[in-house]
């Protein structure tokens, strides 16, 4: 029984996701009074009515007591977690014991992250975000919500089944030679060719990577690209998985099956998962660059050809030639720019293997300017609301005169044709007239003007990057032909490896190779938090597959132990404990977090901040805890590159503790030794 | 000592009881439903706000989940919630307090109220809001007072430091209680010294409730509303009405105190005991009752006696085959003397009762379950069944208090009262003198290690931390202990854990019956945090086993 709800302060539902049990529960409570005919509005109404008292009470508590609800627990162990981001209240509910408070809080943060990736800086203006999340048009709304729901389900599925999403770090396929070849291929052949083509329509490929299911085969960033953060990469993998879900049962079928269906067998291309994703095809239309134009209407001979050559079947995948707009963090020399617009091209090579291209769009400089202005106004607003006035409020970089000049130029550059621009100009003129009086203009009265300016800037941003209309904008993407060529190039390259890769992704590394050296070791996970990469023996638990853990209940049991160990150690880490050992039933669990410098020298354990229970979840997907931790720790290690590692192990309880600790030590040093580094 | 507990002096930030039945109509104001609100100085509109919001939200959530709300957490406070009929209790603590402790505190508070006041609904029908508000305030301040933070985390009883006390004194205390129990109207008792348990025959929960009254009479002996005292006993004896839940009563009755002494269901045996009672008191049979256990080459049973909470343990052991070292020698092993005496005793029984309340016998029979059902370990929420009125009898000798749960008509039974009074008086005086002379131990010297050992069955805590301020050096230990305790409570299969922060490594281990926490001081904790078997943190289990033996904690 699960639910996730996003609501405005006035209890307007901005998004909801419920599993069938929760839906049934709500409908039972609401009785059959609602008309059956209109499924969605009726359900939306009832869920809104049921949650309204809680939502209203939340804002009352904030307004009048300055405190807010964080969670509720009932006697039958239903858990409600609440979190407010600006004016949006997120409520996550679990009533089946499958998720704890931490999981629910994480889900809320992940949902917020996905919304940020999809809407960028529009999320900074609550009023605009509200409109974006709840389009007036019910059909459009249904499509958007369906897409978000399916993203959420994809995430939940990955978190429950994929170790890399359990610990929130990227897992690479361990095959150094092939990886190297692929990276070279991406660099020398693919990206170069794409970026020198005229058909790229001003876009520039910054990153290219190949995913085998959720695992990374190769990742290449062009030289002038900033690093793609782990958080963004994980979010993109979720999106790719959502577009082309790995059908576990299919993938785990016998190798013969794969052989028979490989190549160009029509049945193999895309088998949609039966129940929750049945609306996937329609959901694809929610975020195309060309606004609300349905993708299906787009009939392009090139695309048609591409589809023919791929033998796409009855349920077509979302049109791959329409890129998705994603907003990712960019770090440049002059600072960090969050939520910069990119286009994401997700090109399926074979079922389970996907090529992802991330491009910089020609107008992205606008986004940087908008961000700079937004930041300046936010700073000013903060100082004003702290009671500063006059020159005290305008101190700091950039100076208000700087901003003034730049913004004047910016507005001029945008040109009068933009509708929003006239509004921005209007508000800006008003703002200028207020501060024209010099220092005396900077007082509390200016706060509202700051807010207005921010909203206007977000509006411009929305207009530039979320809705691009008019036929003139069509060529703003890699041409379908170019995309197809990229697809074919990589397919040719990997043709001989394809089956191997699909198997390898299921058995990246296996416990077998460790049993001899580490008797009694059942499982381990090792994470390099500085690069956001992890390595762990595969834990495949399917009916048909027998892993080293055996199959059936025992394997499930160990899997559940590993999952709960991760959440337990996170709880201790949140409270400042970086070493945890537990004797639990027949098992002995260890967790270590430590720091090293670049040369591998182990640094002294430092204080780890103690965080409140309702702090952001520890991980890298929704909020990069480890980046903050490294920054905190590096304060005492100036001039040194600090790396952070984590190791989790599961041993049989009968193994003496000294032996277990020796194993841990060996694992910790071995796994990341350059000579044996399996991640290269 | 209270000053030393400053950081924890206000464990509870908010507490209120709200009666939803008072706010039904449109025009009813929230304030009419507020029965009690703590802190009392809170402005009324803030009280209304908090009550209104929490009650409303809780109701909404319970409707969604078809189950009452247990915990409402806010950013700065967490509230434990109890709902019973129209009553709504909420107790708010700072978020650092473990959730389980917040829930226990609220349950203790409600249970305390029900123990001394009876059914909540009836109390509010019979008494004024103000007088009951005063009660809530007393109970709350009692539960918040004194004890260390560790006591609060574990919600355990405060006991005398048994390591400083001659075990014979504990034995003596247990014997006094046994002697009192020979009066059929006495159900069970406990002996307290300066607010700490010396010996008890009751469950930890019940003992905790009794301790409230003791501390009230001790700190405010002249309270006008104080329960009746008996002038004939020089003001040292008092009593108050109390209410037991059905399960508590069954538990007390089913304790393996010799069934022969229990009057309710077995009149024959109880009358048989009468003679024993009248002929023997502790003070005049020192030879028989003390010779056996004080024998140095003691048997297993005698060794058990040295356990500071022996009588408690014997009460809790439902196994009839277990050794019962404290039984008077006369009844030890065989029931035949009683069988022989039966006819004769029966007549005595009636004569004994005729001077008191003649009808009480039948009255009792109608009320008491017969035969007593087996003891249930679960303690229900109060008021699951109507509370059963009983009387708490208190006999104070300076800092020492003998508290007995007695049948209500005990008070009108002068003979029984005199008997209980006189049979225990001399022993209590002696015990008090001895306990008073015991030096409170050397609390100062902080040892090379800190430990806390919780006996989950008796709900008692042994620690070398108690008595010292909850100051900076112990903070890491208390914090780790509180986290580990919550983890143990939530994960049944967890047996032991070592957790280490930059400043401290703490080892925790538990079995069904106990939880032990250990931290070694000194020695550099500096390390890289990378797995290393030579790391001092991993030698903690061995050190704990070793060091704690001398505190009577066996981790082997």
């Amino acid at each position: 029984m699960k639910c996730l709800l996003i609501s405005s302060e006035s209890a307007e539902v901005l998004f909801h996701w419920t599993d069938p049990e929760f839906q049934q529960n709500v409908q039972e409570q609401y009785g059959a009074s609602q008309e059956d005919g209109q499924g969605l509005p009726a359900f939306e109404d009832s869920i809104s009515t049921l949650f309204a008292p809680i939502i209203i009470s939340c804002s009352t508590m904030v307004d009048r007591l300055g405190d807010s609800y964080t969670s509720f627990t009932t006697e039958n162990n239903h858990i409600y977690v609440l979190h407010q981001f600006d004016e949006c209240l997120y409520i996550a509910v679990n009533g089946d014991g499958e998720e704890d408070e931490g999981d629910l809080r994480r889900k809320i943060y992940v949902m917020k992250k996905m919304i940020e990736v999809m809407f960028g800086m529009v999320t900074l203006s609550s009023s605009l975000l509200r409109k974006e999340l709840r389009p007036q048009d019910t059909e459009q709304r249904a499509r958007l919500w369906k897409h978000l729901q399916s993203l959420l389900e994809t995430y939940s599925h990955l978190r429950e089944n994929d170790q890399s999403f359990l610990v929130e770090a990227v897992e690479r396929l361990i095959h150094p030679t092939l990886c190297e070849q692929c990276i070279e291929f991406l660099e020398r052949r693919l990206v170069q060719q794409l970026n020198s083509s005229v058909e790229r329509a001003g876009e520039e490929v910054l990153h290219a990577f190949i995913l085998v299911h959720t695992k990374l085969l190769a990742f290449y960033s062009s030289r002038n690209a900033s690093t793609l953060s782990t958080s963004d990469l994980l979010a993109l993998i979720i999106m790719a998985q959502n577009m082309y879900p790995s059908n576990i049962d299919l993938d785990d079928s016998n190798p013969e099956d794969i052989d028979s269906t490989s190549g160009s067998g029509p049945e193999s291309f895309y088998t949609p998962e039966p129940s929750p994703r049945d609306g996937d095809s329609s959901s694809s239309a929610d975020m195309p660059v060309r606004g609300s134009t349905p993708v299906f209407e787009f009939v392009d001979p090139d695309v048609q050809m591409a589809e023919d050559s791929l033998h796409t079947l009855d349920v077509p995948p979302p049109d791959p030639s329409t890129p998705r707009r994603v907003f990712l963090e960019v770090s440049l020399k002059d600072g960090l720019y969050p939520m910069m617009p990119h286009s994401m091209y997700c090109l399926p090579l074979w079922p389970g293997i996907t090529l992802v291209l991330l491009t910089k769009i020609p107008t992205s400089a606008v986004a940087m300017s908008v961000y700079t202005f937004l930041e300046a106004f936010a700073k000013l607003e903060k100082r004003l609301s702290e009671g500063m006035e006059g020159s005290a409020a305008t101190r700091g970089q950039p100076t208000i005169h700087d901003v003034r000049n730049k913004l004047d130029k910016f507005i001029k550059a945008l040109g009068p044709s933009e509708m929003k621009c006239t509004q921005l100009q209007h508000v800006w003129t008003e703002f200028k007239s207020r501060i024209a009086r010099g220092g005396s203009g900077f007082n509390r009265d200016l706060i509202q003007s700051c807010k207005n300016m921010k909203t206007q800037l977000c509006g411009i941003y929305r207009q530039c990057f979320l809705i691009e209309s008019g036929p003139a904008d069509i060529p703003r993407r890699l041409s379908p032909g170019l995309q197809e060529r990229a697809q074919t190039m990589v397919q040719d390259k990997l043709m001989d490896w394809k089956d191997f890769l699909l198997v390898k992704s299921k058995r990246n590394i296996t416990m077998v190779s460790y049993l001899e050296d580490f008797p009694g070791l059942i499982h381990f996970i090792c994470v390099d938090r500085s690069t956001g990469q992890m390595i762990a023996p595969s834990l495949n638990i399917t009916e048909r597959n027998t892993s080293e853990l055996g199959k059936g209940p025992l394997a499930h049991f160990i899997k559940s132990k590993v999952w709960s160990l991760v959440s337990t150690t996170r709880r201790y880490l949140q409270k400042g404990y970086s070493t945890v050992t537990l004797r639990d039933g027949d098992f002995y669990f260890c967790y270590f977090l430590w720091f090293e410098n670049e040369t591998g020298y182990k640094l002294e354990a430092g204080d780890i901040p103690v965080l409140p229970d309702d702090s952001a979840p520890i991980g890298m997907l929704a909020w990069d805890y480890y980046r903050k931790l490294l920054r905190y720790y590096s304060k005492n290690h100036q001039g040194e590159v600090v790396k952070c590692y984590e190791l989790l192990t599961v041993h049989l309880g009968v193994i003496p503790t000294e032996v277990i600790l020796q194993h841990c030590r060996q694992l910790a040093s071995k796994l990341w030794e350059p000579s044996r580094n399996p991640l290269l | 000592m209270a000053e030393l507990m400053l950081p924890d002096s206000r464990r509870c930030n908010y507490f209120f009881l709200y009666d939803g039945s008072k706010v039904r109509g449109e025009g009813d104001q929230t304030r009419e439903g507020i029965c009690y609100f703590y802190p009392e100085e809170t402005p009324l509109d803030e009280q209304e706000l908090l009550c209104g919001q929490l009650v409303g939200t809780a109701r909404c959530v319970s409707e969604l989940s078809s189950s009452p709300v247990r915990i409402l957490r806010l950013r700065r406070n967490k509230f434990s919630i109890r709902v019973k009929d129209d009553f709504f209790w909420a107790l708010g603590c700072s978020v650092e307090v473990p959730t389980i402790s917040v829930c226990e505190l609220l349950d203790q508070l409600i249970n305390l109220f029900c123990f001394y006041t009876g059914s909540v609904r009836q109390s509010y029908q019979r008494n004024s809001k103000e007088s009951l508000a005063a009660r809530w305030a007393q109970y709350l301040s009692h539960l918040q007072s004194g004890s260390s933070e560790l006591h609060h985390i574990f919600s355990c009883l405060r006991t005398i430091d048994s390591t400083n006390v001659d075990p014979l004194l504990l034995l003596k205390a247990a014997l006094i209680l046994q002697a009192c129990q020979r009066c059929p109207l006495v159900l069970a008792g406990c002996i307290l010294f300066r607010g700490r348990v010396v010996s008890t025959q009751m469950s930890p929960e019940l003992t905790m409730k009794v301790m409230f009254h003791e501390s009230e009479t001790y700190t405010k002996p002249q309270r006008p509303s104080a329960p009746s005292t008996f002038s004939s006993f020089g003001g040292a004896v008092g009593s108050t009405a109390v209410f037991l839940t059905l399960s508590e009563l069954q538990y007390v009755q089913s304790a393996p105190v010799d069934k022969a002494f229990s009057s309710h269901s077995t009149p024959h045996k109880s009358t048989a005991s009468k003679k024993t009672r009248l002929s023997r008191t502790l003070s005049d049979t020192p030879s028989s009752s003390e010779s056996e256990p004080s024998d140095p080459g003691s048997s297993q049973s005698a060794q058990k006696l040295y356990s500071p909470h022996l009588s408690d343990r014997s009460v809790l052991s439902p196994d009839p085959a277990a050794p019962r070292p404290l039984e008077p020698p006369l009844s030890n092993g065989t029931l035949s003397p009683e069988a022989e005496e039966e006819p004769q005793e029966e007549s005595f029984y009636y004569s004994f009762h005729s001077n008191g309340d003649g009808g009480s016998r039948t009255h009792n029979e109608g009320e008491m379950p017969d035969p007593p059902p087996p003891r249930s370990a679960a303690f229900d929420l109060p008021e699951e069944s109507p509370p059963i009125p009983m009387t708490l009898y208190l006999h104070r000798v300076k800092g020492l208090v003998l508290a007995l749960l007695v049948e209500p008509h005990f008070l009108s039974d002068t003979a029984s009262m005199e008997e209980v009074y006189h049979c225990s008086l001399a022993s209590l005086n002696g015990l008090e003198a001895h306990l008073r002379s015991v030096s409170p131990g050397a609390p100062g010297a902080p040892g090379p290690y800190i430990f806390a050992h919780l006996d989950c069955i008796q709900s008692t805590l042994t620690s070398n931390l108690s008595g010292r301020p909850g100051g900076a050096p112990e903070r890491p230990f208390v914090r780790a202990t509180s986290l580990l305790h919550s983890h143990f409570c939530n994960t049944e299969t967890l047996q032991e854990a070592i957790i280490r922060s930059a400043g401290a490594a703490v080892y925790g281990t538990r079995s069904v019956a106990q939880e032990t926490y250990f931290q070694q001081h000194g020695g550099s904790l500096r390390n890289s945090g990378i797995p290393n078997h030579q790391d001092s943190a991993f030698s903690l289990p061995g050190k704990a086993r070793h060091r704690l033996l001398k505190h009577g904690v066996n981790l082997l």
Side-chain angles (χ1 to χ4, degrees), chain A residues 1-21:
Chain A
M1 216 185 89
K2 304 181 181 84
C3 165
L4 188 128
L5 176 76
I6 307 179
S7 147
S8 72
E9 278 180 326
S10 54
E12 188 182 30
V13 176
L14 300 181
F15 168 73
H16 69 80
W17 167 84
T18 52
D19 68 352
E21 288 80 28

Side-chain angles (χ1 to χ4, degrees), chain B residues 191-320:
Chain B
I191 292 179
L192 311 167
F193 183 69
R194 292 181 179 158
R196 291 169 182 272
V197 180
V198 180
S199 183
T200 180
Q201 296 173 314
M202 299 178 268
S203 67
E205 291 79 6
L206 203 49
T207 311
M208 235 176 267
K209 295 182 195 175
V210 169
M211 285 174 79
F212 162 77
H213 188 61
E214 188 273 338
S215 74
E216 281 299 291
T217 53
Y218 183 56
T219 49
K220 302 175 197 157
Q222 257 69 55
R223 217 157 43 95
S225 64
S228 51
T229 53
F230 302 94
S231 51
S232 52
F233 301 118
V237 171
S239 78
T240 188
V242 294
F243 299 86
L244 268 59
T245 63
L246 189 59
S247 58
E248 277 173 341
L249 184 70
Q250 288 164 0
Y251 175 68
V252 166
Q253 286 173 336
S254 65
V257 179
D258 200 323
K259 278 283 172 255
F261 301 130
S262 174
S263 68
H264 320 304
S265 50
T266 50
H268 302 303
K269 286 184 183 176
S270 80
T271 53
S273 71
K274 201 80 324 184
K275 188 181 180 192
T276 318
R277 181 179 73 86
L278 291 173
S279 61
R280 293 176 63 251
T281 62
L282 184 66
S283 46
D284 49 40
T285 54
S287 53
S288 56
S289 61
E290 280 181 25
S291 63
E292 190 190 1
S294 60
D295 176 10
S298 48
S299 62
Q300 193 214 348
S301 64
Q303 269 171 348
K304 261 192 102 176
L305 285 176
Y306 293 124
S307 154
H309 309 288
L310 168 81
S311 57
D312 189 4
R313 181 166 291 175
S314 67
V315 165
L316 286 158
S317 154
D319 180 6

Side-chain angles (χ1 to χ4, degrees), chain A residues 168-332:
Chain A
E168 297 185 359
V170 178
E171 183 171 0
R172 309 198 86 154
L173 276 187
I174 310 295
H175 196 295
T177 29
L178 181 61
C179 289
E180 225 165 301
Q181 278 179 34
C182 288
I183 293 171
E184 211 180 293
F185 176 80
L186 292 178
E187 179 187 359
R188 304 258 165 88
R189 306 263 331 267
L190 187 76
V191 175
Q192 215 168 53
Q193 201 161 345
L194 291 174
N195 282 347
S196 55
S197 163
V198 283
E199 290 174 64
R200 66 189 169 102
E203 296 206 348
E204 181 192 344
V205 179
L206 294 178
H207 309 276
F209 55 92
I210 303 170
L211 289 172
V212 184
H213 295 301
T214 56
K215 296 183 179 65
L216 205 55
L217 170 64
F219 185 99
Y220 170 73
S221 293
S222 76
R223 254 168 268 284
N224 45 1
S226 91
T227 332
L228 185 65
S229 72
T230 306
S231 165
D232 286 341
L233 181 52
L234 287 167
L236 295 175
I237 295 178
I238 295 176
M239 292 176 88
Q241 271 290 308
N242 188 49
M243 273 184 251
Y244 304 108
S246 302
N247 194 324
I248 298 296
D249 278 338
L250 184 81
D251 296 334
D252 278 339
S253 55
N254 299 322
E256 302 89 72
D257 293 350
I258 292 178
D259 284 339
S260 68
T261 57
S262 62
S264 57
E267 315 77 41
S268 69
F269 182 70
Y270 180 69
T271 310
E273 292 203 324
S275 53
R277 302 179 206 283
D278 47 4
D280 243 12
S281 51
S282 64
S283 74
S284 64
D286 63 282
M287 279 292 299
V289 169
R290 295 182 344 119
S292 52
T293 316
V295 216
F296 312 101
E297 288 178 12
F298 185 91
V299 184
D300 182 305
D302 282 337
V303 172
Q304 203 51 57
M305 207 172 73
E307 286 182 349
D308 285 343
S309 70
L310 281 168
H311 301 279
T312 311
L313 275 190
D314 38 338
V315 183
D319 176 0
S321 71
T322 307
R324 268 157 206 276
R325 176 71 78 243
V326 288
F327 297 92
L328 309 172
E329 181 189 273
V330 166
S331 60
L332 297 177

Side-chain angles (χ1 to χ4, degrees), chain A residues 50-68:
Chain A
L50 283 172
F51 278 96
I54 301 178
I55 296 161
I56 306 280
S57 178
C58 275
S59 40
T60 312
M61 294 297 269
V62 175
D63 292 347
R64 303 212 25 213
L65 288 174
D67 206 346
S68 52

Side-chain angles (χ1 to χ4, degrees), chain B residues 175 178 256-258 261 292 324-333:
Chain B
L175 287 172
Q178 293 253 324
V257 179
D258 200 323
F261 301 130
E292 190 190 1
R324 279 182 269 154
L326 290 182
E327 266 173 24
L330 205 135
S331 63
N332 213 1

